[in-house]
Amino acid sequence: MGNDLADVLVVGAGPTGLVLACDLARRGAAVRIVDRSPAPPRTSRAKGPNARSLEILDDLGVADEVLAAGSDPLPMLKYRDRLAVAETDPWADSAPSPDAPYDRGRLIAQWRLEEILRDRLAGYGVRVELGREVVGLTEAADGRHVDVTFAEDRTERVRYVVGCDGAHSSVRKLLGIGFEGATAEDQVMVCGDVDLAEGALDRTRWHQWFDEDGAVMLCPIPGTRTGWWFQAGPERDGRGRPLAPTADGFRRLLARHTALPGRVLTRAELLSTYRVNVRMADRFRAGQVFLAGDAAHVHAVAGGLGMNTGIQDAFNLGWKLGLVLAGHAGTELLDTYEEERLPVAARTLDLTSERLRATLEAIRRPGGGLDAAITPDTTGLGVGYRWSSLAGVHDEAPRPDEALRHDETPQHDETPRPDEAPRHDETPRHGDGLPGSPQPGDRAPDAPCVDAVTGARTRLHRVFAGPRTTVLGFGPGSAAVLREVAAAYGDAGVRTCRVYAPYESGARSGPGTAVVDDEGHAAAAYGTAAFGDTGTRTGTDTDTDTGTVVVVRPDHHLGLSAPADDARSVHAYLRRLHGAGRPRNGSPALVDAARKG
């Protein structure tokens, strides 16, 4: 039995596990991450993070490196009977906006993304323990730790375990959690990483040959001179059964569907057969053990949401584990992980199945291609948690002395069934304030602004960056609440930020951060005029003027939006996440400061 009691053991070192480990490590949690592979896998697989995942990677401090290592999504060149018949750029009409600076994802080989995340994790002193396979899990009777047995017959004790170990998850199987769904045996694709002779194809396009008897798709792998992602309908035997992928088989498929001779394919590795699986775990938590990523849900590849949904699982779970481990929040906060993410996963299964059907229909016609799978829903920016018990409503909040104690179970509505979760085709942000303003549970909009002290340009998501809850104050009336919050929670994982309108006069100083909304994008994004912030245009600038206070969770989702004179709602919400402002068991230090650049 190991002597050191780790806070969290992450099982599986793919993007989901690495994002979770990075988030926990920067919170000062004692996190370990293991993977059964003897060496980091050299696989391209997922083609890269979507817009929402880029925001998460930005928060973790690695987005610039990811952007540099990858490329923008490419226009798609479609062929029929070996002839080019159409070209489509799914992102031609898309552009960054003040509230969403990432309007599209990034193409990057999965191995390269994992390498970047491993380096970030190593900066916190945590390294992936390779060649370690979990074969047993036993939760203590008191529910305070888990004994984890490894294949080398060694048992180690940890407080929490998170299974991020893929569709064939050992953690899920050891827990006995069902993985219901179906496998479409007739929907088969062979995949691999290949090299083509230099100059064989234009590397500024994603080439797609769709014929009546099969298909070949070749997308250049960023960061390589001759590397390509290869996807194709499989060769079949005399009975119509798909054959296993081979390099020679890839050459034959290339010669059959394209104008290229098979010999231009000089290397093929990481060959695999993909079948459409649509499955989801019965639950995402069993006591001290959680599931995330493919261990919890798998779905059709259409839309590229597999890795991205896992990254977003990890970002939802990390801050909740961090607050519980720090002694700020009660363990009931961990129930909200399944409450929020299970309905999202269920809807993602529906969305990707729908996009797969649309794609299969599109490629029957000349000029159809994989662009049929891409919609605004696949950016991830519209995903929110309005149904969550963490979506605070200011006029129903309890008085501070009635706020939830750490030893109480929260009283809230039952977690919605997956079919009750918001549909992706619903408009994500229409609240009780101005039209288009966000509601609690929605993704917190970004907005360009100016640092009130240095005059440097920044943006709200940079203010949010790092492992803290953020309280934004709009209007002079918010100043008193921000002072109270800073005094009570400044050392307990909460930051404050006063958002000044450009017409506000007087000294721009006080606790926490201060920014100037010089172009009005923040006020527009958050609908703060709904609570009378525009009244300060008359020139009055006192603490009695109206204003708005917005609580932003560490995962960039709104927790609460309230008039500045409803301080009790703000205090009650923060007590839910951060207790009375003082840790009970000694809070681990937060080791990642907010970036202001």
Side-chain angles (χ1 to χ4, degrees):
M1 182 78 69
N3 294 323
D4 295 331
L5 182 63
D7 288 328
V8 182
L9 177 71
V10 178
V11 183
T16 300
L18 288 167
V19 165
L20 178 61
C22 286
D23 195 22
L24 289 167
R26 67 178 179 168
R27 297 173 184 280
V31 60
R32 294 172 55 198
I33 180 169
V34 300
D35 198 283
R36 59 200 277 175
S37 300
R42 185 83 173 184
T43 178
S44 295
R45 291 191 293 178
K47 289 186 173 64
N50 64 12
R52 176 59 186 142
S53 291
L54 282 173
E55 292 183 341
I56 292 170
L57 295 171
D58 196 358
D59 190 283
L60 294 175
V62 298
D64 288 345
E65 195 170 355
V66 171
L67 293 174
S71 73
D72 279 336
L74 300 176
M76 299 179 181
L77 184 56
K78 279 80 71 75
Y79 302 78
R80 193 76 162 195
D81 297 328
R82 300 185 176 184
L83 298 176
V85 294
E87 180 171 317
T88 304
D89 182 353
W91 304 103
D93 297 327
S94 177
S97 61
D99 71 334
Y102 299 113
D103 66 310
R104 64 195 69 190
R106 194 75 171 166
L107 288 178
I108 183 173
Q110 183 172 322
W111 68 264
R112 182 68 181 104
L113 175 62
E114 291 175 358
E115 186 176 69
I116 291 169
L117 288 168
R118 282 197 303 272
D119 288 346
R120 180 63 168 169
L121 186 60
Y124 296 116
V126 180
R127 297 188 181 275
V128 177
E129 301 172 35
L130 295 166
R132 305 211 66 194
E133 181 180 2
V134 173
V135 297
L137 295 170
T138 304
E139 186 169 347
D142 62 6
R144 294 185 178 179
H145 65 260
V146 181
D147 289 330
V148 182
T149 303
F150 292 91
E152 65 267 29
D153 199 27
R154 177 182 174 88
T155 298
E156 299 173 16
R157 181 164 291 179
V158 298
R159 291 186 173 90
Y160 293 98
V161 175
V162 186
C164 305
D165 49 342
H168 302 288
S169 170
S170 297
V171 171
R172 187 188 65 241
K173 293 173 183 176
L174 289 168
L175 295 173
I177 292 178
F179 202 48
E180 298 302 318
T183 300
E185 296 292 343
D186 60 328
Q187 294 176 343
V188 183
M189 183 168 62
V190 290
C191 311
D193 287 7
V194 305
D195 275 347
L196 300 183
E198 194 165 356
L201 278 176
D202 178 3
R203 290 182 63 84
T204 66
R205 298 292 184 271
W206 184 348
H207 302 267
Q208 302 170 12
W209 292 263
F210 291 108
D211 298 323
E212 292 184 3
D213 63 342
V216 169
M217 293 152 278
L218 282 164
C219 182
I221 301 175
T224 67
R225 288 181 58 198
T226 59
W228 297 77
W229 283 295
F230 183 102
Q231 298 166 287
E235 295 185 300
R236 296 182 181 270
D237 64 15
R239 296 184 179 182
R241 294 173 299 191
L243 297 176
T246 65
D248 284 341
F250 281 12
R251 292 186 182 99
R252 288 189 292 268
L253 288 166
L254 194 68
R256 179 188 307 166
H257 294 287
T258 81
L260 299 172
R263 66 177 180 274
V264 304
L265 194 154
T266 59
R267 177 190 63 91
E269 62 182 16
L270 303 170
L271 308 186
S272 63
T273 298
Y274 169 81
R275 287 178 171 82
V276 175
N277 275 299
V278 181
R279 298 180 182 274
M280 191 170 75
D282 297 339
R283 50 202 168 111
F284 290 5
R285 181 188 183 187
Q288 304 292 97
V289 186
F290 300 83
L291 299 175
D294 285 356
H297 42 75
V298 294
H299 45 75
V301 69
L305 292 177
M307 177 187 75
N308 288 291
T309 305
I311 287 174
Q312 291 152 35
D313 286 345
F315 205 52
N316 182 284
L317 180 58
W319 69 273
K320 296 172 182 178
L321 280 169
L323 286 179
V324 171
L325 289 166
H328 295 302
T331 57
E332 65 273 2
L333 179 64
L334 300 177
D335 293 333
T336 67
Y337 169 64
E338 179 178 297
E339 177 191 356
E340 293 184 341
R341 293 304 297 174
L342 189 149
V344 168
R347 176 53 190 150
T348 302
L349 265 62
D350 291 342
L351 172 64
T352 52
S353 295
E354 171 190 314
R355 289 297 88 207
L356 177 62
R357 287 191 294 270
T359 302
L360 294 175
E361 179 65 28
I363 64 177
R364 292 174 186 168
R365 302 182 299 274
L370 300 185
D371 49 301
I374 299 173
T375 73
D377 301 327
T378 57
T379 66
L381 297 174
V383 175
Y385 313 113
R386 291 186 183 181
W387 64 86
S388 171
S389 60
L390 295 181
V393 180
H394 67 87
D395 59 359
E396 295 179 2
R399 297 189 306 272
D401 59 347
E402 295 174 339
L404 186 70
R405 300 195 311 271
H406 284 295
D407 57 350
E408 289 179 340
T409 301
Q411 302 299 313
H412 55 77
D413 292 339
E414 189 177 36
T415 300
R417 298 187 307 273
D419 59 357
E420 293 175 333
R423 299 191 313 273
H424 281 261
D425 57 358
E426 291 177 340
T427 301
R429 293 192 299 267
H430 282 287
D432 294 329
L434 294 179
S437 62
Q439 287 186 14
D442 291 344
R443 167 189 165 273
D446 202 351
C449 46
V450 172
D451 187 297
V453 176
T454 67
R457 295 219 59 87
T458 185
R459 50 191 176 91
L460 287 185
H461 276 204
R462 286 295 171 93
V463 173
F464 302 160
R468 293 178 182 269
T469 297
T470 304
V471 181
L472 298 177
F474 293 85
S478 67
V481 179
L482 295 184
R483 284 195 297 269
E484 293 171 7
V485 167
Y489 296 97
D491 296 326
V494 180
R495 69 165 68 84
T496 60
C497 177
R498 174 72 163 87
V499 182
Y500 287 94
Y503 49 79
E504 288 187 76
S505 60
R508 289 166 175 167
S509 63
T513 302
V515 297
V516 180
D517 185 20
D518 61 324
E519 298 175 340
H521 292 302
Y526 286 83
T528 58
F531 296 126
D533 294 2
T534 57
T536 57
R537 289 186 185 274
T538 60
T540 57
D541 195 335
T542 69
D543 286 358
T544 60
D545 286 333
T546 55
T548 306
V549 176
V550 177
V551 180
V552 180
R553 302 171 3 171
D555 60 351
H556 307 168
H557 285 269
L558 263 68
L560 179 77
S561 182
D565 59 5
D566 187 10
R568 67 175 189 173
S569 293
V570 178
H571 289 296
Y573 191 85
L574 291 175
R575 283 171 62 93
R576 174 82 186 276
L577 301 186
H578 295 270
R582 294 183 299 275
R584 293 175 298 166
N585 301 319
S587 172
L590 299 176
V591 295
D592 195 27
R595 290 169 293 116
K596 302 292 176 57

